[in-house]
Structure formats: structure tokens, C-alpha cells
Amino acid sequence: VPEDYDYIVVGAGSAGCAVAARLSEDPPIRVLLLEAGPEDRNPWIHVPIGYYRTMFDPATSRAFETEPEPEADGRRILWPRGRVLGGSSSINGLIYARGQPEDYDHWRQLGNVGWSFDEVLPYFKRAEGYERGADAIHGGDGPLKVAANGWRSELMDAFLDAAEQAGIPRVPDYNGRDGAGCSYFQTTQHGGRRCSAAAAYLRPARGRPNLAIATGALASRILLEGRRAVGVAYRQGGQERTARAAREVIVSAGAIQSPQLLMLSGIGPADHLREVGIGVAHDLRGVGGNLQDHYQARAVYRCPRPITHNDIAASLPRRALAGLRWLLFRDGPLTISAGVATLFWRTRPELATPDIQFHVIPFSAAKAGGSLHPFSAFTISVCQLRPESRGTLRLRDADPASDPVIRANYLATETDRRTMVEGMKLIRRIAEQPALAPYRSAEEHPGPACRTDAEILAYVRATGSTIFHPSGTCRMGPASDPLAVVDPALRVHGLDGLRVADASIMPTVVSGNTNAPTIMIGEKAADMILGRPPLAAESAR
Ligand SMILES: Cc1cc2nc3c(=O)[nH]c(=O)nc-3n(C[C@H](O)[C@H](O)[C@H](O)COP(=O)(O)OP(=O)(O)OC[C@H]3O[C@@H](n4cnc5c(N)ncnc54)[C@H](O)[C@@H]3O)c2cc1C
């Protein structure tokens, strides 16, 4: 017998948790939240630095990978995604950034009514519980707890001083209207614990009798009757089940799996669906296109003082002390996010707003999530914020458990390549400033042999990787846009009762980290699903 609900939300990630929790605030509304992964009981989820353990642990994460990337030396790049309650917000680097106001104004310019910065700002604020309280930019009493003061250190202070010496000002709040400059990161943690979307939204909602949460439940198909979505088929504990949605199905399975689920349901480019033997229910060319991500390259500097996390990791007593400090006081080195200091800056003076971002962290490893180097060192990475390159996501076959075929197409344009090279040069310029002199010895990577632009580009191609921000694969746009998948109310074009709400709807990836924007998308989606008038636009100018 099928189970009956008003709404079914597929995927309990950053957006899905917000959508399900907001919809179920109204007691008569019956909501089912389907999540492929388990409950978020793994203790490392809740320790901020735990991302280092969970990111590639199959118990909490699913390791997708790209096809060989032609412009990145033919390497496959690993793309972990959270597969657990909270989704990627349970394994991410805890950085709280919204991108630039111009990102949302651009979405609005593309025809997405209601998505200008002034219109989305109230949703960022509704989501946020900023530890310093509400102001023109921040929300004070929302569920997503944001710390203004993450873990700090003299090394990170020295980086910020060096950036100032290189002519880049400190910015009081990079989430404000003009975020150009350097600063400490704001982070999604509270009392020394991670604040995932599950912690923020599901924990308070779990007791509601009208919210059912099914874990270990992989949606395999959206059930359509004619042009209307009426439910979801899913696999749980080896059983095939179905649930019916009297009102709507909301797909929040993330930028990889939302387009995958649409295509498995026969919604996507018809020629591709035929190729993999799936009957075409609705030919929608844009599904799985427009894939965007932030590519990052890293420089590693040796540090002459034993003050980095590499030093802590190499010493049993220091490790024990750090662990004890977290257990007793919920502070210390284990509260570190995956970037402590940041910088948003332009690689070319003619640009209106910054086009690169740095993540600076007092440790180093051969690769993200790998063992820390056995010597004292720190990392400065650069990513390009508005890549021109576009990738694609396609089905490998008709099996819902298969990994899709991902082509990020990194570094496909001259601007993308040049921006990364200029970004690496800015890292070096800052590293050479006097403020960092006492903290920096040899440049370990790229190293002194890498000097010319061509050599730097070769390094970027050979070593760069993702900063984990895939988006855009179910892009939002008006009906006049033939490649738009959802309309500005996030309804799938041409169908009824079906929306997508997650990072996949971003028409262009935001100029910063993607968790907070995705949670904002979930907040705004909930109001639109419930037919509520939008929150009044605010001006933070
Ligand atoms: C390692 C890592 C570090 C990151 N660091 C940061 C950071 O520091 N700051 C930041 O802002 N952003 C960061 N990000 C990015 C950010 O976390 C993501 O952009 C954001 O969480 C995406 O949210 P989402 O709702 O689109 O998808 P997700 O949060 O990935 O959620 C999708 C959920 O749907 C589930 N699902 C998928 N398919 C199905 C299906 N068929 N049936 C049922 N369930 C399904 C998945 O298991 C998952 O739980 C990071 C990401 C990663 C992976």
C-alpha cells in the first residue's frame, strides 16, 4: 500500500533539510523526507575538524569522480558529496559565505524574478543565527548558527598583515555589500560543534508527527501521471517502495543527483535518455548541462615555527591535549574550519568585483583529506570565483545506484586559465611580504623551479582540484530560456507538482562557498511551495 503525504522531499542536504523543516512547521501538512544516507550519528560529523575524517569515509560520504579532465592533465578529480542526514553540510569545511550581491542581481538580470540580492537577503537572514546578533546583513535568531570568531592563530594574523602590506585591505564583513579584502572566515559552528543543516533544521523538527524522515532510502524514480508528479519510488533496506505526494515532490538531491534523478525519471535531453534506454517522459534539454564548479590550486609554505596543525598531528601529547581541550571546553585546534583566513580580490583592475578567493589554513597535505605533511607548513589556496568553463552530467546507465558521468571541463577557457595563474602569483606576492617572513621558509609547492606563467599554469593543471562547489545542473531561468530546467519559483518547466531546490538551480555559481546560498534557496523554496508572499526585500547598501 503506498504511503500518502502532501509533500515528498528527496535528499536531506543543505537545501532539503531547510525545505522539509519549514514545510512541516504547519501541523496538518504531511511531509516525507527521503535520504539515501544514514542518521548523522558518526561523532566526527560534529567535531569541526572532523571533515578531515568524514569527507572520504563511505559511511558518511559518496565519492564521485569526474571523467579524465582534458585541461587538467587528463586527471580524474574526486568529488565527495555528503551521504548522511545533513548531506554535504555534514562533511563540509564549515565556511559561511554568501557570495557577492552582484551574483544574485545577475540571476535577476537573467530573468529570475524575485532573486535579486535585496530579495534573497531576508532569506539569508531568516536562516541565520549569527553569534553577534542581528544587523543589516546578519540574522540573529535563525537555526543556522554562525560564529564570527572561528579558531585564530598568530600565523593567520601574520597572513592578514601580509595581505595588507600587499595592498589588500581588511574587510570588516565579507558577507556585506562590498566584500573585497581579507579577513577571518565566519563559520557554521556553535559552542564548538558543527552546525549542519540537519543540526539546524531537522533536530528541532524531529518530534513533529507530520514529518517522516526515511534514511537509507534511495529515490530511484519520480512517479508521473501524465504531466504531473504524484510520488516517488525508492529503495530502502533491499525493498522497492513507493510514496505518494498529494501536492508536490521537491527534489533536493544536490547538483549531481538531482539531475540524475530527473533523467532516471525520463525528464531530460530526449536523445541522451534514449541512448541509455530510458523512456522519455518530458524532453528537457537543460537537465545535467551548465555544470559549474570552483577549481582550486594550492601553494604550501614551510613554517620555521612549530605552530601549525602539522606539528600538532605529529606529536602524540599535543594531539591528546587538543582532543582533551575539545572534549572539555569545545574549543582549541579541533574547531578549525577548512580555511581560517580568506581574501576576495580582483586579478584585473577593470573587474567590478573580486574574481578570486583564497583559503588559508595552518596545515598542509599532499591532497585534501590526505595525511598532513610531517613538517611544519601552511597552505594558501586560490580559486576562481566565476569560471567561464561549463561541464555536463550524464547518466552512465539506467541504474539509480550508478555514478553519473561527470565532465567538469575545468580550465576550458583562456580567462579561466589566466585567472588561476594570476591568483597563484598573488599568493606569492603576499607570501613574500615582511609580516610573513618570520613564519615562512621555503616554498614547498609549487617550489622555486616554477617561475614563468607557463610553468605556473602547468602546475595548476597538474595539481588543481575541486573546492567542492558543483552547481548549476538544473538551472533556473524563465520559460524563454530553452536550457532552463526550473522557473523562478523552482517548478520544473512543463510539468506540474515537481520542483528542484538545491545547488543545482543556481544559474551561475555564486562567488563564494555554496552552503549558505543553498540553504537560502531551501528557505525561499519553502515559502514559494506554501504559496506565501515573499519576505519584503531589504536594502543592505
Ligand atoms: C568536502 C566538502 C567541503 C565543502 N566545504 C564547504 C564550506 O566550507 N563552505 C560552504 O559553503 N560549502 C562547502 N561545501 C559545499 C556545500 O556543502 C554544498 O554546496 C552544499 O551542501 C550543497 O547542498 P545541496 O542541498 O545542494 O546538496 P547536498 O547537501 O549534497 O545534499 C544532497 C542530499 O541528497 C541525498 N540524495 C542524493 N540523491 C538521493 C536520492 N536519489 N534519494 C535520496 N537521497 C538522495 C544525498 O545523500 C545528500 O544527503 C563543501 C562540500 C564538500 C563536499
Side-chain angles (χ1 to χ4, degrees):
V1 187
E3 310 151 54
D4 281 314
Y5 297 90
D6 293 305
Y7 297 102
I8 301 173
V9 182
V10 179
S14 300
C17 289
V19 172
R22 290 298 184 198
L23 293 180
S24 60
E25 279 172 359
D26 201 357
I29 294 180
R30 298 158 307 160
V31 179
L32 171 64
L33 176 60
L34 293 174
E35 168 53 47
E39 295 277 343
D40 56 347
R41 293 213 184 94
N42 184 320
W44 283 109
I45 291 176
H46 309 289
V47 186
I49 202 173
Y51 54 84
Y52 228 77
R53 301 234 172 187
T54 54
M55 198 194 308
F56 292 114
D57 179 351
T60 46
S61 153
R62 184 163 167 188
F64 296 96
E65 64 176 4
T66 67
E67 296 300 294
E69 284 293 316
E71 299 285 340
D73 285 3
R75 291 175 303 127
R76 291 177 186 269
I77 312 286
L78 272 175
W79 277 20
R81 299 276 90 195
R83 181 175 51 189
V84 62
L85 279 191
S88 299
S89 78
S90 287
I91 64 159
N92 77 10
L94 297 99
I95 288 161
Y96 182 83
R98 298 174 178 178
Q100 297 166 6
E102 292 78 2
D103 296 328
Y104 304 97
D105 291 343
H106 175 61
W107 293 6
R108 174 67 187 88
Q109 288 288 42
L110 294 171
N112 296 300
V113 175
W115 290 88
S116 69
F117 181 66
D118 291 353
E119 290 163 299
V120 301
L121 178 60
Y123 289 99
F124 276 114
K125 291 168 82 168
R126 183 167 86 183
E128 188 187 10
Y130 190 46
E131 70 173 5
R132 290 186 180 159
D135 60 23
I137 295 297
H138 293 279
D141 50 14
L144 181 67
K145 302 298 174 211
V146 176
N149 284 310
W151 190 84
R152 294 186 173 221
S153 76
E154 58 176 295
L155 175 56
M156 295 296 107
D157 286 337
F159 166 79
L160 294 169
D161 291 343
E164 285 196 291
Q165 287 169 345
I168 294 164
R170 287 210 194 206
V171 62
D173 187 345
Y174 59 84
N175 282 315
R177 180 147 274 277
D178 182 9
C182 62
S183 108
Y184 273 99
F185 270 123
Q186 298 162 20
T187 62
T188 44
Q189 58 178 295
H190 182 57
R193 287 169 65 92
R194 168 189 296 274
C195 188
S196 68
Y201 287 95
L202 293 188
R203 208 155 292 153
R206 289 213 79 150
R208 296 176 191 159
N210 60 328
L211 174 63
I213 302 175
T215 52
L218 180 76
S220 49
R221 200 160 36 89
I222 298 155
L223 305 175
L224 296 168
E225 277 173 14
R227 306 197 78 71
R228 183 167 189 86
V230 295
V232 177
Y234 64 101
R235 295 178 177 173
Q236 191 184 31
Q239 278 188 308
E240 299 287 338
R241 310 176 70 135
T242 56
R244 293 194 57 100
R247 296 195 196 169
E248 288 192 26
V249 174
I250 298 105
V251 180
S252 299
I256 299 175
Q257 288 169 281
S258 283
Q260 181 184 26
L261 182 61
L262 291 184
M263 291 192 277
L264 289 168
S265 314
I267 306 164
D271 46 352
H272 170 59
L273 297 179
R274 284 190 202 104
E275 250 168 46
V276 287
I278 291 179
V280 180
H282 180 49
D283 182 12
L284 200 53
R285 276 167 51 208
V287 176
N290 191 46
L291 174 58
Q292 299 168 47
D293 187 28
H294 291 141
Y295 188 74
Q296 85 167 328
R298 294 175 297 153
V300 173
Y301 292 94
R302 286 197 183 232
C303 177
R305 302 185 182 186
I307 55 172
T308 70
H309 275 53
N310 294 11
D311 303 292
I312 298 171
S315 146
L316 190 59
R318 287 182 75 179
R319 264 198 342 250
L321 207 64
L324 211 60
R325 224 178 125 174
W326 189 81
L327 284 170
L328 293 176
F329 308 113
R330 295 279 188 263
D331 72 359
L334 301 196
T335 61
I336 195 169
S337 44
V340 174
T342 188
L343 171 159
F344 293 91
W345 202 241
R346 299 166 180 81
T347 58
R348 288 174 282 143
E350 69 270 25
L351 293 175
T353 61
D355 62 336
I356 52 168
Q357 179 187 7
F358 284 13
H359 289 70
V360 191
I361 190 127
F363 60 71
S364 69
K367 60 177 187 340
S371 317
L372 300 189
H373 285 135
F375 47 83
S376 188
F378 63 95
T379 306
I380 308 177
S381 84
V382 60
C383 70
Q384 183 199 12
L385 291 173
R386 284 184 299 281
E388 293 177 346
S389 305
R390 296 288 181 267
T392 55
L393 188 141
R394 293 287 176 255
L395 294 180
R396 196 170 299 281
D397 53 44
D399 181 353
S402 293
D403 287 357
V405 179
I406 302 169
R407 291 195 169 83
N409 223 8
Y410 292 121
L411 303 173
T413 79
E414 182 54 28
T415 302
D416 290 2
R417 295 187 287 266
R418 198 179 58 218
T419 306
M420 289 302 295
V421 170
E422 292 306 318
M424 289 298 295
K425 284 155 79 173
L426 181 61
I427 291 179
R428 282 180 160 171
R429 191 152 66 79
I430 293 173
E432 282 156 15
Q433 299 299 319
L436 264 174
Y439 297 94
R440 175 183 64 79
S441 42
E443 183 184 274
E444 185 72 14
H445 299 295
C450 176
R451 292 267 45 119
T452 65
D453 285 10
E455 286 163 351
I456 295 174
L457 179 59
Y459 173 79
V460 166
R461 289 185 193 281
T463 65
S465 67
T466 176
I467 201 160
F468 314 114
H469 297 164
S471 4
T473 45
C474 296
R475 101 162 175 226
M476 171 174 66
S480 55
D481 174 356
L483 292 178
V485 174
V486 296
D487 72 7
L490 306 184
R491 294 173 295 222
V492 173
H493 280 294
L495 295 177
D496 294 322
L498 184 60
R499 297 194 209 225
V500 181
D502 57 26
S504 70
I505 68 98
M506 295 184 187
T508 47
V509 63
V510 294
S511 307
N513 312 69
T514 43
N515 183 47
T518 306
I519 289 174
M520 176 280 288
I521 290 167
E523 284 275 3
K524 190 164 160 53
D527 271 12
M528 295 190 294
I529 294 164
L530 292 170
R532 294 192 175 139
L535 297 178
E538 291 181 33
S539 176
R541 275 162 248 241

